[in-house]
Amino acid sequence: MLNMLAAWLMPQPVVILLLLFYSHAKAAELVGRSVLNADTFTFGSTTAQFKKTNRTTPFVHAQPVQGFSAVVKGAKAGTYLVISDNGFGSKANSPDYRLRIYAVEPDFTTGKVFPVNLQTGERLSWFDRHSFVELNDKNRKVSFPIIADQSFYPDSTISVSPEIRTNRLLTGGDFDIESFQRLGDGSYWLGDEFGPFLLHVGQNGELLDPPIPLPNFLGVGKLDFVKSPDHPELMNLPDELARLTTANLGGSKGFEGMAINSSGTKLYVLLEGSLKGDSLKQRLLIHEFDLASKQYTGQIFSYQLEHQSHAIGELTAINDHEYIVIERDNHQGDPNNSAFKYPAKFKRLYKINIKQIDAQGFVDKKLLVDLLNISDPKRIGGNITKAGIFTIPFVTIESVLPVDSRTLLVINDNNYADTSGRIPRQADNTEFILIRLKKPLNLFNRP
């Protein structure tokens, strides 16, 4: 109504100014920003031996602390646990990258991100062994060959790291972990994209159960289970084309989102891509998983993308029926910066309600935050903020967590060191961003 009255009563320049002000007034507000430098490393096996990136490789006895794909609360208030994904983006280029859960503290006063002790939350001087836990298969729960079983990395003459072999450490050549939750008993559930599988690991990172596959409940296509081209059962096919043809899920389209209900009894896992052969090309499936029986319940919810070229970055619970979904396009760069020829156009947070289903069978969906239109009246973003507006223009934004009913933490996946969404031709840092909402969420208290 305000827009219509303005257009009718006022000259065009005044209308434009008014609409800009009105748009900014509705925008969520930036209240904090901390940055972890892209070139942050910790000790590890020699990594990036199979990856050409915008840095000199390989990284000898070092592993970049990067690619954060999910976040949960840590041991102390203001600390968080984050997972680093499979390393460098594919099964082929990441067999030397060890899968880890890191503990961090973004300091919104200094603007820096510090490593912390995973168990206590106390600050550390660097990312030492107390700041992370490494996933492993010491209990030999995986039924298919993993990197630790091999003498040489796949298709190479480079020996597998002795530490990986001795400790049966899981790597980016085994799984691509993109989502996770921590239970009250200290164990973790993680969502993988290669299977896709659900992984249950103990507080020391050891697999407690065999990887759990996803049944093809809707019967789309011929396969009984949902399988990506990187599924271990498809790796013996003659070539990549055969794997792509056989798979019923696209590559890197597995469990990108995972939420847990208030009582800690159910997981809700969201696929990043639609099933091949699904007539609804913009439909993504949310599956309910029972933690007591460690089985899918068969309950499925449908999320509708705004465009079939979009992807989701996360699914996070608000309460037992409302959730936050990150939906994004595949572009990067601030649309207000002319140096980006094809800037980001769509980076949003949506609030969905699984108790409200529309006539087409999709969950109710409402815009919560436009990440390309965040008000910054205090200029926390410095010279990044343009005309009072701060943007989160990264190609992949994969973590969102309610800090309280009015505040959200959002973190980008910086794809070290191949994406440049903030500054052209400069590797993205990992940014921890606090956003203040105009209206409070009906947030439950997690156990």
Side-chain angles (χ1 to χ4, degrees):
M1 180 62 73
L2 176 61
N3 297 0
M4 293 175 61
L5 287 173
W8 183 57
L9 294 173
M10 299 180 183
Q12 190 69 17
V14 178
V15 171
I16 293 173
L17 289 173
L18 180 58
L19 294 183
L20 284 172
F21 172 80
Y22 183 61
S23 174
H24 294 183
K26 292 194 300 180
E29 181 181 338
L30 178 68
V31 293
R33 178 173 176 259
S34 295
V35 176
L36 180 67
N37 188 280
D39 298 310
T40 299
F41 288 82
T42 184
F43 68 88
S45 307
T46 296
T47 56
Q49 297 173 96
F50 310 97
K51 169 66 175 177
K52 299 298 182 183
T53 185
N54 293 316
R55 293 293 187 271
T56 300
T57 57
F59 306 127
V60 179
H61 303 306
Q63 179 163 311
V65 181
Q66 57 86 40
F68 296 157
S69 295
V71 59
V72 300
K73 291 185 177 180
K76 287 177 60 176
T79 69
Y80 301 93
L81 304 182
V82 291
I83 56 171
S84 187
D85 58 22
N86 89 307
F88 304 107
S90 75
K91 177 175 283 194
N93 66 21
S94 303
D96 52 11
Y97 192 93
R98 290 145 64 165
L99 302 183
R100 292 172 173 172
I101 300 171
Y102 289 97
V104 296
E105 179 188 5
D107 186 329
F108 296 105
T109 300
T110 64
K112 298 179 180 179
V113 177
F114 295 92
V116 300
N117 185 297
L118 189 143
Q119 300 299 329
T120 68
E122 298 299 321
R123 278 193 188 179
L124 300 170
S125 59
W126 72 298
F127 283 93
D128 64 19
R129 286 192 180 274
H130 299 292
S131 69
F132 61 80
V133 60
E134 293 191 304
L135 305 194
N136 65 80
D137 188 29
K138 292 179 181 179
N139 296 332
R140 296 185 177 271
K141 296 294 183 178
V142 180
S143 61
F144 50 85
I146 61 174
I147 297 300
D149 293 324
Q150 303 173 42
S151 298
F152 301 96
Y153 291 114
D155 302 318
S156 82
T157 57
I158 300 174
S159 297
V160 172
S161 161
E163 193 164 8
I164 290 176
R165 295 190 65 192
T166 301
N167 297 291
R168 292 187 60 78
L169 300 179
L170 296 174
T171 78
D174 303 316
F175 300 102
D176 181 5
I177 51 174
E178 296 284 346
S179 55
F180 83 131
Q181 291 292 333
R182 189 180 192 183
L183 302 190
D185 63 4
S187 68
Y188 304 90
W189 282 89
L190 302 100
D192 155 72
E193 288 205 307
F194 286 163
F197 297 111
L198 287 182
L199 307 177
H200 186 206
V201 306
Q203 59 184 352
N204 295 317
E206 71 281 8
L207 272 174
L208 299 176
D209 301 288
I212 299 173
L214 174 63
N216 184 4
F217 287 105
L218 297 185
V220 176
K222 299 179 181 179
L223 298 179
D224 292 332
F225 288 87
V226 175
K227 296 179 180 180
S228 86
D230 291 309
H231 193 287
E233 292 181 4
L234 304 186
M235 298 311 293
N236 290 328
L237 294 178
D239 52 35
E240 183 178 6
L241 178 59
R243 294 193 293 273
L244 289 169
T245 302
T246 304
N248 56 2
L249 183 70
S252 192
K253 297 297 182 183
F255 289 135
E256 191 70 43
M258 177 187 291
I260 190 168
N261 65 352
S262 59
S263 59
T265 60
K266 299 283 196 307
L267 294 177
Y268 295 87
V269 287
L270 174 58
L271 293 172
E272 186 175 0
S274 60
L275 296 183
K276 293 182 180 179
D278 192 339
S279 59
L280 301 175
K281 300 301 183 184
Q282 293 170 234
R283 176 168 68 172
L284 302 185
L285 301 179
I286 303 171
H287 290 81
E288 183 182 74
F289 183 84
D290 180 70
L291 288 169
S293 64
K294 299 181 182 179
Q295 293 182 341
Y296 289 97
T297 67
Q299 178 71 61
I300 300 173
F301 303 94
S302 298
Y303 175 87
Q304 185 174 27
L305 293 168
E306 295 300 294
H307 191 276
Q308 69 181 63
S309 66
H310 289 177
I312 64 95
E314 184 59 289
L315 175 74
T316 302
I318 299 171
N319 50 56
D320 280 353
H321 59 278
E322 292 181 313
Y323 298 80
I324 300 172
V325 175
I326 302 174
E327 184 175 337
R328 61 170 180 82
D329 61 16
N330 290 301
H331 296 276
Q332 64 178 350
D334 189 339
N336 301 309
N337 186 342
S338 59
F340 289 101
K341 188 175 181 179
Y342 302 105
K345 297 179 180 179
F346 193 102
K347 311 289 180 183
R348 293 181 179 180
L349 305 181
Y350 283 97
K351 182 173 70 172
I352 66 170
N353 190 326
I354 63 173
K355 297 295 185 184
Q356 298 179 9
I357 310 298
D358 67 17
Q360 288 75 44
F362 293 104
V363 297
D364 178 70
K365 174 183 178 183
K366 291 182 173 63
L367 179 63
L368 185 63
V369 178
D370 182 349
L371 298 177
L372 298 179
N373 184 28
I374 301 170
S375 176
D376 185 14
K378 299 176 183 177
R379 294 196 63 80
I380 293 171
N383 59 9
I384 292 172
T385 297
K386 305 294 184 184
I389 294 299
F390 179 85
T391 66
I392 306 179
F394 306 104
V395 63
T396 46
I397 305 163
E398 299 191 349
S399 301
V400 60
L401 180 71
V403 176
D404 57 48
S405 63
R406 291 281 301 275
T407 311
L408 300 178
L409 173 67
V410 178
I411 311 169
N412 67 304
D413 174 354
N414 72 338
N415 301 297
Y416 183 79
D418 292 333
T419 58
S420 303
R422 183 62 77 192
I423 300 173
R425 296 174 297 281
Q426 180 173 309
D428 284 328
N429 297 315
T430 300
E431 300 189 17
F432 290 67
I433 297 165
L434 287 181
I435 299 172
R436 180 80 168 169
L437 302 175
K438 290 296 180 182
K439 295 181 180 180
L441 301 170
N442 182 22
L443 187 65
F444 65 43
N445 291 318
R446 286 175 171 77

